[in-house]
Amino acid sequence: MTTTTGTVTVRRVRADEWRAVKELRLAALQDPMAPVAFLETYETAAARPDGFWQDRAQGNATGDAVAGFAAVAAGRWVGTVTALVEEPGQTDVLGGPVQRRQAHLVGVFVRPEHRGAGLLRRLFAAAEEWARSRGVEVARLCVHVDNPRAQAAYRKVGYTPSGERFILTAGEEIEMVRPL
């Protein structure tokens, strides 16, 4: 899916865009909320070899069970989300058992100067459309209890708490879901 509104295009990541994947991820990991929003540190990500980023971009561009989406303004990536299809019987990215076929949205980030303009809704719509095309009927994400800004943004685009909570290295996370 590709959508363009104003000067921002939302589309699936391309395999040759590993440098942009890396640059935006490193920017996300420098955000003040990064310690509770992401499961890795800037230092860990910055130390990864180019091959890691090349593989990540390739998977996000061509995977059947994973797809990355980017918001691009004037050639600069300004937002991203990745959708992972999780199947019943598998272990999810948090280490728990998957109970239903679902899309898990991860790596959500919008640069601060682009927040509040509906970009998150467009990124999620692209990821959700991709997931629906694979027969997925529900999307989920996890958000730290101490990240009220993200919780509010996710509610605004239709996600509601499921009642499930997880303890990760950064602390307690809330699962939020949305039927597709």
Side-chain angles (χ1 to χ4, degrees):
M1 172 184 182
T2 300
T3 63
T4 302
T5 304
T7 60
V8 180
T9 299
V10 174
R11 59 167 175 76
R12 190 159 181 189
V13 171
R14 296 181 191 129
D16 64 347
E17 295 180 306
W18 67 270
R19 287 179 183 86
V21 169
K22 178 181 179 179
E23 189 279 327
L24 191 59
R25 179 63 173 185
L26 294 178
L29 292 170
Q30 292 177 336
D31 188 89
M33 292 306 294
V36 297
F38 302 107
L39 299 177
E40 72 177 334
T41 65
Y42 174 86
E43 294 76 20
T44 299
R48 295 189 187 279
D50 289 348
F52 171 86
W53 300 104
Q54 291 163 352
D55 290 347
R56 179 176 266 189
Q58 178 71 32
N60 281 324
T62 63
D64 288 329
V66 61
F69 296 87
V72 184
R76 181 175 185 236
W77 282 28
V78 298
T80 188
V81 64
T82 299
L84 309 169
V85 174
E86 298 174 328
E87 301 287 351
Q90 292 180 336
T91 300
D92 68 17
V93 297
L94 303 174
V98 175
Q99 302 298 322
R100 63 182 177 228
R101 191 158 202 258
Q102 59 198 15
H104 190 152
L105 303 185
V106 299
V108 179
F109 180 71
V110 174
R111 291 186 193 270
E113 64 271 21
H114 289 271
R115 293 177 186 157
L119 192 52
L120 182 67
R121 182 178 304 278
R122 292 180 55 212
L123 282 162
F124 277 26
E128 292 166 355
E129 180 180 308
W130 174 84
R132 270 192 302 278
S133 76
R134 276 141 183 82
V136 174
E137 296 178 359
V138 66
R140 75 186 278 236
L141 54 82
C142 296
V143 59
H144 197 279
V145 295
D146 293 332
N147 195 345
R149 181 188 77 207
Q151 290 176 41
Y154 300 150
R155 280 189 179 94
K156 188 174 179 180
V157 297
Y159 284 75
T160 58
S162 70
E164 293 291 324
R165 291 180 177 244
F166 308 93
I167 302 297
L168 301 176
T169 56
E172 189 173 8
E173 298 269 332
I174 301 166
E175 179 186 60
M176 299 181 80
V177 297
R178 175 182 155 98
L180 300 180

